[in-house]
Amino acid sequence: MTREVATAAEKEFHEKMHAAHMYGLWELASQMTRHPEPKAIPYMWKASLIESLVREAGEAVPVGEERRALQLFNPGLDGRWATTNTMIAAIQLLLPGEVARAHRHTPTAIRFIMEGSGGYTSVDGERVYMEPGDLILTPSWAWHDHGNTTGKPVVWMDGLDVPLVQALNAMFFQFYDKEQYPLTKPKNSSTVLHGNASLSPTWVKERPQSSPLLLYSWEKTYQSLGALRDIDGDEWDDIALEYTHPQTGGALLPTMGCWVQMLRPGARLKAHRHTGSAVYYVVQGQGESIIDGVRFAWGQGDIITLPSWALHEHANLSPRDPAILFSIQDRPVLTALGLYREEAFGDNGGHQTVASTFKA
Ligand code: GTQ
Ligand code: FE2
């Protein structure tokens, strides 16, 4: 903080110092905040709004050089290409017969399929076919193109670590010289090789940082959640499962983790906060999340962004049906750097006081 009364000599000194591109630590101390103070805000995009804009995009915008993907900009981040400080989420639409041109980039991507059966994404020569609820990976620098040879639109959520890669000045991008990258592997071949995480092929010597399994099918995910329905879950996240790298058991990507969590009927979970940001997609159910005292009432298809260190608690408002949340998180980065911290909210039995309800 600068003092109110500064002598002329002091002022003169500061001007001279700033002109030399130097600042005193005494001018910057307020940036050493006691705890994280993200510029990103908690925010929600409702399914109805997403759906209507995605439909309109299909009529208004062709798939040209770039993909037809609506990027979700966090209102707190001054028009930056970012949903959280480290990640971008987007909704992509591919109409019948369309192909999104082959390219690669250093940002890592995930796709979570929202609508349509039988579209595909090709990743380094392997076609991975999409069904709703599937998670598909595009590791850093892998060639990829998308195609829809079905008669219906295909829609999915993209998650990429673009803002992180930008902050690290490590962005590289290339188009492939043909519309599609050649197919060099049988379709879904990574599922054949690595689809059984508890039995790993011994002759495969590569240990890629990103999971060599490119498809995590909804069928398996849903089965795994269902099998745990009568287990005591976590007090803060209930039945939360992390998608894992089949060879290491760790996070499936170096910069992003993916979770799927089931909130049992009537579950009202406790509040906590942690470093690292997340974007949630509501796969099914009706519930609410209180984030820093604001109630976010959500339903199927809504997308919610959670900044680092924001207090949050989730509840499933249905007494009968489970709610399922998919999320992308930057936790692997924080963990790798020794910056991950979490804290349970101790007051009021672990629940926040609700000050207001979110309105877009
Ligand atoms: O589909 O490859 O939302 O490269 C942003 C960048 C999607 C993609 C996005 C991309 C893609
Ligand atoms: Fe891409």
Side-chain angles (χ1 to χ4, degrees):
M1 297 297 262
T2 43
R3 276 169 294 139
E4 284 300 311
V5 194
T7 64
E10 208 171 322
K11 265 192 192 144
E12 199 185 310
F13 169 72
H14 279 90
E15 279 162 21
K16 206 192 256 177
M17 179 172 62
H18 296 167
H21 306 288
M22 295 183 200
Y23 278 77
L25 177 59
W26 58 91
E27 299 177 279
L28 307 169
S30 64
Q31 291 186 43
M32 285 278 200
T33 55
R34 287 162 44 88
H35 52 74
E37 292 181 7
K39 291 194 74 185
I41 60 167
Y43 195 79
M44 174 163 63
W45 290 265
K46 294 297 285 178
S48 54
L49 182 66
I50 293 171
E51 274 163 28
S52 67
L53 282 167
V54 164
R55 293 279 161 264
E56 272 190 55
E59 288 158 21
V61 189
V63 165
E65 289 283 272
E66 300 301 332
R67 279 70 64 212
R68 191 195 286 110
L70 307 183
Q71 313 286 308
L72 305 180
F73 277 32
N74 189 300
L77 292 176
D78 305 325
R80 280 177 54 210
W81 182 17
T83 314
T84 78
N85 59 317
T86 55
M87 298 182 293
I88 183 82
I91 318 301
Q92 183 158 172
L93 168 69
L94 206 55
L95 293 170
E98 288 182 334
V99 166
R101 208 183 137 182
H103 65 281
R104 64 178 174 179
H105 37 66
T106 46
T108 293
I110 66 95
R111 334 265 163 208
F112 189 86
I113 314 308
M114 297 164 67
E115 181 193 320
S117 278
Y120 64 82
T121 184
S122 291
V123 181
D124 272 342
E126 171 185 341
R127 254 187 205 181
V128 186
Y129 282 84
M130 304 169 163
E131 294 293 329
D134 287 356
L135 170 65
I136 298 177
L137 309 185
T138 308
S140 178
W141 209 233
W143 288 110
H144 54 288
D145 53 76
H146 318 301
N148 180 2
T149 52
T150 77
K152 293 196 171 144
V154 176
V155 181
W156 65 81
M157 181 174 88
D158 294 308
L160 296 96
D161 56 5
V162 163
L164 178 68
V165 173
Q166 285 179 325
L168 297 172
N169 286 159
M171 178 71 78
F172 292 87
F173 175 94
Q174 290 176 340
F175 275 121
Y176 191 62
D177 59 9
K178 304 202 180 56
E179 190 177 45
Q180 297 196 278
Y181 189 76
L183 298 178
T184 56
K185 298 165 193 163
K187 77 170 197 180
N188 287 351
S189 58
S190 79
T191 301
V192 175
L193 261 183
H194 298 287
N196 184 345
S198 46
L199 289 168
S200 196
T202 56
W203 64 93
V204 177
K205 303 300 183 201
E206 305 88 63
R207 291 287 179 274
Q209 273 189 286
S210 294
S211 166
L213 178 62
L214 300 177
L215 170 66
Y216 292 74
S217 76
W218 180 246
E219 196 187 334
K220 278 195 187 168
T221 303
Y222 192 67
Q223 252 176 31
S224 306
L225 287 171
L228 295 168
R229 63 182 311 138
D230 298 321
I231 301 285
D232 283 339
D234 181 71
E235 287 176 87
W236 298 276
D237 283 309
D238 208 8
I239 304 295
L241 303 178
E242 181 179 6
Y243 295 84
T244 57
H245 186 304
Q247 296 167 324
T248 66
L252 76 182
L253 298 162
T255 53
M256 280 187 292
C258 295
W259 285 31
V260 65
Q261 65 195 98
M262 175 172 64
L263 316 182
R264 268 79 62 86
R268 184 160 281 283
L269 303 166
K270 289 184 175 175
H272 71 164
R273 60 181 163 194
H274 46 70
T275 51
S277 59
V279 182
Y280 291 94
Y281 169 71
V282 182
V283 183
Q284 62 178 62
Q286 291 285 337
E288 64 182 26
S289 300
I290 317 299
I291 309 178
D292 281 341
V294 180
R295 171 184 278 122
F296 289 73
W298 44 256
Q300 183 173 345
D302 294 347
I303 297 180
I304 301 152
T305 175
L306 176 76
S308 180
W309 209 241
L311 271 172
H312 57 285
E313 60 189 278
H314 306 300
N316 178 354
L317 297 183
S318 167
R320 281 187 321 276
D321 304 315
I324 302 182
L325 305 175
F326 169 81
S327 60
I328 55 173
Q329 325 203 353
D330 55 11
R331 190 177 300 190
V333 180
L334 290 124
T335 306
L337 302 181
L339 295 172
Y340 182 73
R341 284 196 192 198
E342 62 186 13
E343 195 175 274
F345 182 63
D347 303 349
N348 193 24
H351 297 291
Q352 301 164 76
T353 308
V354 180
S356 63
T357 294
F358 172 79
K359 283 214 64 144

